[in-house]
Amino acid sequence: MIARVLATLRGLLRRRPIEDEIVEELRDHIEREIEAHRSRGVSAEEARRLALRDLGGLTQTIESSRAVRATWLDTVWHDARYAVRTLSRTPAFTLAAVSTLALGIGATTAIFSVANAALLRPLPYPHADEIRTLRTMFTDGRITSGLVGPLEMTRLKDPSLPITNVAMAGRGDFTLLRADGTPVSIVVSGVDEGFFPLFDLPLAVGGGFTPEYFRQNGPNGAILSYRLWRGAFGGDPHVVGKTLTLTNGGAPILGVAAPEMDVPRGTDAWFNLQLDPQSTNHGFDGYLRLRPSTPDSVLSQRLAAVAAVLGHDFPGPEGNRAFLVERFVDSIVGDLRPMLIIVLSATALILVLACVNVANLLLARASRRSREVAIRAALGASRGRIAAQLLTESAVLASAGMVLGVALAYVAVRLLLRYGASQLPRLETVPFDTPVLLFAIAMLAVCALGIALAPVLQLARRGVMERWLHERGRSVGGARSTHRALRTMIIVEVAVAVTM
Amino acid sequence: MNRTQLLQGTLDLLILRILELGPNHGWGISSRLQQISQDGLRTSQGSLYPALHRLEMRGEVRSEMTTSENNRRARVYAITRAGRKRLNQETETWEAFALSMRRVLEEGQ
């Protein structure tokens, strides 16, 4: 088995055409045979005649050797070149088909690249799948902000729980005073001691908070976001030790966060919070990191038990309160997920429409090409062989459509980002990475199969080849079966259009 | 018995057997075959090369272009491990077949 694969691979890596090698081999054979005859005293001419006679038909030998050596890849390559030649002879048809497919593939790829950036791309934090956001609610229906308090987080630090880190952050809008006195509105988040260790990204500049910053009456400090550092401080490498001046106070700058650090979303600077660990003031976003490979059901059970104990100990603020956990990525993306899925489905329908239209064009062409197919069939091409050729042709069309479509998608997404989509969570950048390209290739395959389906099915129907032979190009509108196929396509198109 | 028509499939077996003796080129294989069988077996040379290429595609022989004495380029074939395995199997099958044939023919006398 392995030997066979290797032999095929060697065949693929072969640089020279098969024929050359076979001819060279046979020439060697004939020369040796002539020599052998000559050494027995046969005349040169007679030796040559004998050698050629013994070999049988030379062309036939070359052909049968070629047939053995040719791999399916040679066949595909041959068909693809043939398809390119035929398609370039009908530029109007080719242009229409390729641009229709390009629109379909481009639209789906563009939307997929957005979905990929928002939903599939991993978050920048190490082991981000272990991170959960934590909120609270009242089981008796009373309204609450859903925020958490220091007392609850203190209880969650119990080492018997399947939790490795807990953290709190509170967000607020502040006004930054630039050196020249101009104000800038920024988002500042106060964070507790567990916050930076939980997200586990190294700072870009400086050392960050030490434990003393979180003690009552400890020093104050600020960590800048990478964005604020580049914007308001011009990326100053000696920014540590300078002061972040706000209209209502300020703090010495301790460092700059990693460029990817964006919790809570949109934060421009982080301050240290000095909290009473027993406070029941519910004013913070809660975060926790799960012990690796703990099921969420176990976490929920344990949190329910903690909530019950808290409710017993502090029946006023904590009575009837329950914890709610959410995967971190879901808390960021929020409502974007169903929205993106709807838009992606809608564009998938556009792709279906594009395929139906191109299949339509192909069918109309097929009825005009019936003569060519009939001749090939008469010359001994099997149905499978002709079907493979039709499939290769649609693959060539779809490939051209994909290349153009991916280029379109790239431009479209850049434009979309410029006009405001970058305000959406996780869409600051939309990369064209491997998943996007794989998706585009999958769409290519879907299109190639989709548009080849109708002509191939027609071919597969019994008697179609014979009818093609009889039609002999005198029919203008094509066979009745072609009409039926065209009608089916119109039905599909109207159905899709109505759905949209 | 002269110029026996080769049974279908036996050509592969013969080629593998000759290559087991050592690597050889196409012409060498065909002359070796005649020589060993004392002219009793003769391959049509037209079917030898397609057979060699088929064996190569199956990975049972491998080939290499070599430049031999007096600067002539020739394709030299050698048996592979998969080829030896097939040769052993087919030799057994062949011997069993030959034995059965002989039994039947001798019984009939």
Side-chain angles (χ1 to χ4, degrees):
Chain A
M1 184 61 210
I2 293 169
R4 183 176 292 199
V5 171
L6 283 178
T8 312
L9 280 180
R10 264 199 302 279
L12 294 184
L13 294 174
R14 173 188 56 223
R15 285 190 207 94
R16 290 184 317 146
I18 310 165
E19 286 83 353
D20 285 7
E21 288 192 2
I22 296 171
V23 168
E24 188 169 15
E25 183 173 32
L26 291 177
R27 181 184 299 135
D28 175 65
H29 178 100
I30 293 167
E31 280 169 11
R32 284 175 200 272
E33 188 81 0
I34 292 173
E35 269 165 39
H37 286 305
R38 293 273 287 158
S39 67
R40 265 178 273 138
V42 179
S43 75
E45 204 170 317
E46 179 66 3
R48 187 168 186 80
R49 197 187 65 80
L50 286 174
L52 285 171
R53 188 201 63 190
D54 285 349
L55 199 57
L58 199 56
T59 321
Q60 213 176 340
T61 308
I62 293 173
E63 266 311 301
S64 44
S65 282
R66 205 197 78 87
V68 170
R69 293 210 141 212
T71 55
W72 61 271
L73 209 78
D74 293 308
T75 314
V76 169
W77 178 233
H78 178 267
D79 280 356
R81 275 189 318 195
Y82 177 75
V84 169
R85 275 205 309 275
T86 346
L87 289 173
S88 61
R89 238 176 277 140
T90 49
F93 163 80
T94 308
L95 195 70
V98 167
S99 46
T100 309
L101 287 172
L103 278 178
I105 296 179
T108 34
T109 306
I111 299 297
F112 178 80
S113 75
V114 171
N116 173 54
L119 306 177
L120 301 179
R121 182 171 52 154
L123 288 166
Y125 314 102
H127 305 288
D129 54 322
E130 295 162 11
I131 305 176
R132 300 285 181 278
T133 54
L134 188 69
R135 301 175 68 76
T136 60
M137 62 172 282
F138 282 119
T139 53
D140 54 18
R142 278 183 292 156
I143 308 274
T144 165
S145 63
L147 298 175
V148 297
L151 174 67
E152 289 156 347
M153 298 314 265
T154 306
R155 294 286 175 104
L156 293 183
K157 284 177 186 162
D158 181 347
S160 75
L161 292 171
I163 294 170
T164 59
N165 298 67
V166 292
M168 280 179 287
R171 233 181 83 127
D173 295 311
F174 288 81
T175 306
L176 168 76
L177 281 182
R178 283 225 182 96
D180 60 3
T182 51
V184 187
S185 173
I186 63 169
V187 175
V188 172
S189 294
V191 298
D192 73 347
E193 190 173 356
F195 185 83
F196 278 97
L198 190 148
F199 290 99
D200 202 18
L201 283 176
L203 294 189
V205 177
F209 300 122
T210 52
E212 55 172 338
Y213 280 88
F214 299 99
R215 281 191 209 117
Q216 303 284 334
N217 304 316
N220 279 318
I223 291 178
L224 303 182
S225 75
Y226 198 82
R227 191 176 51 239
L228 185 68
W229 177 55
R230 297 301 294 268
F233 292 86
D236 177 7
H238 306 295
V239 74
V240 173
K242 296 191 172 165
T243 306
L244 179 67
T245 314
L246 304 178
T247 45
N248 51 349
I253 294 166
L254 300 177
V256 177
E260 308 86 36
M261 182 70 188
D262 190 24
V263 197
R265 213 175 98 75
T267 297
D268 294 304
W270 292 269
F271 279 75
N272 52 319
L273 288 172
Q274 293 163 351
L275 300 165
D276 170 7
Q278 301 305 318
S279 160
T280 56
N281 164 31
H282 287 85
F284 303 97
D285 294 322
Y287 304 93
L288 62 86
R289 196 180 260 280
L290 210 52
R291 185 162 292 154
S293 63
T294 307
D296 276 290
S297 57
V298 170
L299 177 69
S300 306
Q301 273 172 25
R302 302 298 299 271
L303 288 179
V306 173
V309 173
L310 273 167
H312 177 263
D313 294 350
F314 301 88
E318 300 291 347
N320 294 324
R321 216 180 253 276
F323 288 112
L324 288 174
V325 281
E326 193 178 16
R327 298 177 66 84
F328 187 45
V329 63
D330 292 337
S331 74
I332 296 175
V333 178
D335 297 339
L336 205 56
R337 183 187 295 271
M339 211 171 81
L340 275 174
I341 290 172
I342 290 170
V343 176
L344 194 59
S345 315
T347 40
L349 288 180
I350 293 183
L351 185 65
V352 170
L353 272 188
C355 283
V356 168
N357 277 321
V358 173
N360 232 330
L361 285 173
L362 272 176
L363 262 188
R365 207 165 95 105
S367 58
R368 240 176 297 142
R369 276 177 72 186
S370 52
R371 224 172 152 171
E372 175 199 332
V373 175
I375 290 170
R376 293 186 50 154
L379 288 176
S382 67
R383 274 189 191 163
R385 193 67 196 73
I386 293 176
Q389 214 274 311
L390 288 174
L391 192 61
T392 311
E393 190 177 281
S394 50
V396 167
L397 278 177
S399 303
M402 185 199 84
V403 171
L404 205 65
V406 167
L408 269 177
Y410 186 83
V411 174
V413 167
R414 298 306 104 166
L415 281 177
L416 212 68
L417 287 184
R418 178 169 293 181
Y419 293 109
S422 58
Q423 298 303 311
L424 291 168
R426 299 206 69 198
L427 294 184
E428 297 80 11
T429 57
V430 175
F432 260 59
D433 50 8
T434 321
V436 175
L437 288 180
L438 286 180
F439 178 85
I441 290 170
M443 289 305 103
L444 181 160
V446 167
C447 287
L449 286 175
I451 62 184
L453 194 65
V456 169
L457 278 183
Q458 237 193 358
L459 185 74
R461 216 173 291 137
R462 277 172 66 86
V464 164
M465 295 238 259
E466 289 75 6
R467 198 152 63 229
W468 267 341
L469 269 174
H470 293 306
E471 276 177 28
R472 305 250 329 227
R474 71 185 139 76
S475 90
V476 179
R480 212 178 311 132
S481 57
T482 309
H483 280 310
R484 196 158 47 230
L486 288 175
R487 247 197 332 265
T488 316
M489 301 224 168
I490 290 168
I491 293 170
V492 170
E493 266 188 54
V494 172
V496 170
V498 167
T499 314
M500 293 191 26
Chain B
M1 181 176 94
N2 81 58
R3 285 263 190 140
T4 314
Q5 189 86 333
L6 283 181
L7 281 169
Q8 189 84 34
T10 50
L11 182 56
D12 287 5
L13 182 59
L14 293 170
I15 291 172
L16 289 173
R17 172 64 190 137
I18 284 164
L19 288 178
E20 201 191 19
L21 304 171
N24 215 332
H25 44 67
W27 186 80
I29 294 170
S30 109
S31 59
R32 198 74 196 262
L33 184 58
Q34 282 175 47
Q35 186 192 335
I36 295 177
S37 69
Q38 291 157 10
D39 262 347
L41 295 172
R42 239 186 122 110
T43 59
S44 145
Q45 290 162 354
S47 54
L48 174 69
Y49 285 96
L52 277 169
H53 294 151
R54 189 169 53 241
L55 285 171
E56 188 176 10
M57 292 311 285
R58 295 169 64 139
E60 289 164 358
V61 307
R62 60 168 181 272
S63 74
E64 208 179 348
M65 284 309 272
T66 56
T67 309
S68 62
E69 76 282 10
N70 60 45
N71 215 13
R72 190 152 61 185
R73 283 167 60 72
R75 181 178 287 280
V76 169
Y77 294 87
I79 193 165
T80 63
R81 195 205 296 252
R84 276 178 217 283
K85 204 172 138 197
R86 172 145 180 247
L87 176 62
N88 288 337
Q89 281 170 356
E90 300 240 330
T91 308
E92 273 172 36
T93 318
W94 181 255
E95 276 165 2
F97 174 69
L99 186 65
S100 318
M101 281 296 286
R102 200 161 56 237
R103 279 195 189 127
V104 172
L105 294 175
E106 282 166 7
E107 188 73 12
Q109 272 173 2

